[in-house]
Amino acid sequence: MPEAIKPPAFTLSAVLQDRATPSPTLAINEQVQAMWARGEAVLHMGFGESRFPVHPRLQKALSENAHQKSYLAGQGLAKLRTEIARFYSRQWQRPVSAGQVIVGPGSKALIFAIQMAIDAELILPTPSWVSYAPQAELLNRPVRRIPAGPESGYALTIDALDRTVSQSDRSNKILLLTSPNNPTGEMFSPAFLEELADFSQQAGLVVVSDEIYGQVSHGHIPHVSPAQYYPEGTIVLGGLSKGLSLGGWRLGTAVLPDHEGARALMLALRNIAGEIWSTPSAPVQFAALQAYSDDQAIAAYVAECARIHAIRTQYFWRGLTDLGVPCARPAGAFYLFPNFDRWRAPLARLGVATSDDLARYLLETEQIATLPGTAFGVRPEDLSLRLSTSYLDMEGDAEAQAILDAYRWDPDPERLMGQAHPQTQEALARFTRLIHRLNDLAGPAGEPESQP
């Protein structure tokens, strides 16, 4: 018999040999989808995806542009970039030109391209989104995290940023921020952003502001971009995925400053786009003209969906705090970042010593899917979890439409949550059961009772 053909060696690059794990957010979503397919009644709080229906005008725009089949410019459709520039001009109350805008296949790809184009160390708050640091590591760029802990609600401070920046000997640094934040849902106040702008200007930082959740504000704190205070040094990321529930359309945007250095960066980004993704989908770009136009029906829908996200997420936050679980109050998006350190001793009796252990324990014993704090750069011993409210009671399109219909019928927050959200109620019941179990294990003095 002929000798078996030996396949070639698929030798991974050195940087990938140590990165065998997928994105934690995508991995937990795939795991839950598989559990659902097996009929398991797991509550999905591990993945953040706005679930509302596609607005009818956007469905119509996409359908009418299905014939658009030609390659478009690498920087993006010129008419779309003009609409995006007008969108930000209205938001910021200052002129933005189409030349400052680049369109990509999601903001995630644009963030990677920016990190590729700028030879810089990455400075990250703690916690921060799961893909920022891995992107830098794929590019062999150093990553430095600004320390923060649960005792302060993981607040970013100028002092901690100053200490972190002073430890670096690299001349070029990118500070990558998210507001509203993933995983905490918090937003930066205007007063803090003014202080941050002064520091960043003096330190020569490039600020990359991921504002993908900027249109999902809960209303009690205004969403303000760092570009309002530091326009010459801030790159702003956005897109359709969160405010309009269009994650699968994969259309992101970046707005660069208006000066010679930024124009050189834009040329570099265009070159990267030309070599990697060529152009985002043509039908989606043409349909996005409607999304970024000054269409009051679209704007009203974005505000409506943001209000429902706020009702759902604030309700869960109040439920956790009523149980005594420390958790910063979210101001946007659909995330919570509770901490369970106060139950460290009883959790240890259950074999839980890290946030990874805690996430695994919740999935196995309470059938609640979450993400551990380690996925967001938090120390393993910090018993923090990221919870997403976006899938609860909105697993499928029909359920999402039902929540939207229920809100339109009766927008009262308490009645909406009490009558239309059985899964959310069940999730809080399971957390209540967990906390009662931990309190029983801790005993009256707050320490584990001795074994008989």
Side-chain angles (χ1 to χ4, degrees):
M1 295 184 61
E3 186 178 346
I5 298 174
K6 185 177 180 180
F10 292 93
T11 305
L12 296 178
S13 66
V15 70
L16 284 171
Q17 287 179 14
D18 297 328
R19 298 204 56 82
T21 57
S23 164
T25 53
L26 298 179
I28 191 65
N29 192 45
E30 291 176 9
Q31 183 179 359
V32 170
Q33 297 290 339
M35 294 173 75
W36 282 343
R38 295 195 297 267
E40 299 181 41
V42 61
L43 296 174
H44 196 358
M45 301 193 75
F47 191 64
E49 179 186 27
S50 188
R51 304 286 299 155
F52 291 107
V54 179
H55 191 279
R57 293 191 183 185
L58 296 179
Q59 291 192 43
K60 184 173 183 287
L62 185 62
S63 174
E64 290 177 345
N65 284 284
H67 67 282
Q68 302 286 357
K69 61 184 178 60
S70 296
Y71 286 97
L72 302 178
Q75 192 171 339
L77 178 66
K79 290 191 293 184
L80 176 58
R81 291 190 292 108
T82 297
E83 289 295 344
I84 293 166
R86 289 172 178 165
F87 172 84
Y88 280 102
S89 297
R90 293 191 296 269
Q91 282 203 332
W92 296 344
Q93 295 297 297
R94 61 178 173 81
V96 177
S97 72
Q100 294 173 249
V101 177
I102 183 169
V103 181
S107 58
K108 191 174 188 177
L110 288 169
I111 293 169
F112 185 71
I114 289 165
Q115 293 203 66
M116 181 184 293
I118 302 175
D119 184 14
E121 180 175 64
L122 182 63
I123 308 292
L124 288 177
T126 303
S128 55
W129 185 49
V130 298
S131 289
Y132 298 150
Q135 285 187 353
E137 290 161 1
L138 287 173
L139 294 166
N140 276 319
R141 302 289 165 74
V143 179
R144 197 177 295 272
R145 290 191 178 271
I146 305 164
E151 64 283 350
S152 67
Y154 295 99
L156 173 64
T157 67
I158 300 299
D159 286 344
L161 173 60
D162 188 14
R163 291 194 302 273
T164 304
V165 169
S166 65
Q167 292 167 2
S168 172
D169 58 1
R170 296 283 293 254
S171 58
N172 297 327
K173 302 176 186 67
I174 292 174
L175 173 63
L176 212 170
L177 305 173
T178 317
S179 182
N181 182 264
N182 180 0
T184 68
E186 292 186 276
M187 281 201 292
F188 297 122
S189 70
F192 176 80
L193 289 175
E194 283 194 80
E195 199 178 352
L196 178 68
D198 289 341
F199 177 88
S200 299
Q201 188 175 47
Q202 294 173 26
L205 300 179
V206 174
V207 174
V208 175
S209 182
D210 185 353
E211 300 177 22
I212 195 67
Y213 297 97
Q215 292 184 284
V216 193
S217 169
H218 292 183
H220 58 276
I221 297 175
H223 173 258
V224 180
S225 172
Q228 297 285 71
Y229 303 100
Y230 186 39
E232 70 275 16
T234 303
I235 302 167
V236 175
L237 278 298
L240 301 179
S241 61
K242 311 306 179 185
L244 282 166
S245 305
L246 295 172
W249 281 29
R250 305 313 304 140
L251 190 133
T253 66
V255 181
L256 276 59
D258 185 19
H259 53 69
E260 194 60 39
R263 284 188 279 276
L265 173 60
M266 180 63 79
L267 179 59
L269 294 177
R270 289 173 55 184
N271 290 340
I272 292 169
E275 301 300 340
I276 297 178
W277 62 75
S278 298
T279 177
S281 164
V284 169
Q285 288 196 65
F286 277 96
L289 286 166
Q290 187 74 37
Y292 281 100
S293 66
D294 194 13
D295 185 327
Q296 293 306 301
I298 299 291
Y301 187 61
V302 169
E304 182 180 44
C305 294
R307 177 61 181 149
I308 301 171
H309 281 308
I311 291 171
R312 290 157 49 86
T313 307
Q314 295 292 320
Y315 184 87
F316 211 95
W317 171 75
R318 288 194 299 274
L320 290 175
T321 54
D322 287 348
L323 290 171
V325 180
C327 181
R329 185 184 182 187
F334 25 81
Y335 301 119
L336 300 149
F337 204 62
N339 177 264
F340 297 84
D341 282 3
R342 64 177 294 186
W343 292 281
R344 185 178 300 281
L347 282 168
R349 293 183 62 178
L350 299 173
V352 173
T354 67
S355 64
D356 294 86
D357 295 338
L358 181 56
R360 186 164 47 249
Y361 178 82
L362 273 174
L363 186 58
E364 292 174 354
T365 65
E366 298 293 345
Q367 287 73 55
I368 301 176
T370 66
L371 279 179
T374 51
F376 303 88
V378 168
R379 299 174 304 177
E381 61 269 25
D382 289 355
L383 299 176
S384 299
L385 298 174
R386 193 203 72 172
L387 311 180
S388 172
T389 61
S390 63
Y391 258 89
L392 292 178
D393 298 294
M394 297 177 73
E395 291 178 2
D397 293 342
E399 291 85 354
Q401 181 68 58
I403 294 296
L404 182 61
D405 292 342
Y407 173 80
R408 289 172 172 173
W409 177 258
D410 184 358
D412 179 79
E414 290 304 315
R415 289 194 292 271
L416 179 70
M417 295 310 302
Q419 298 172 11
H421 285 82
Q423 286 190 350
T424 302
Q425 301 295 341
E426 176 61 23
L428 278 173
R430 294 184 191 184
F431 272 105
T432 300
R433 188 165 62 213
L434 170 70
I435 297 304
H436 288 170
R437 183 185 311 135
L438 297 177
N439 287 337
D440 289 342
L441 282 171
E447 293 295 330
E449 296 175 337
S450 58
Q451 292 285 345

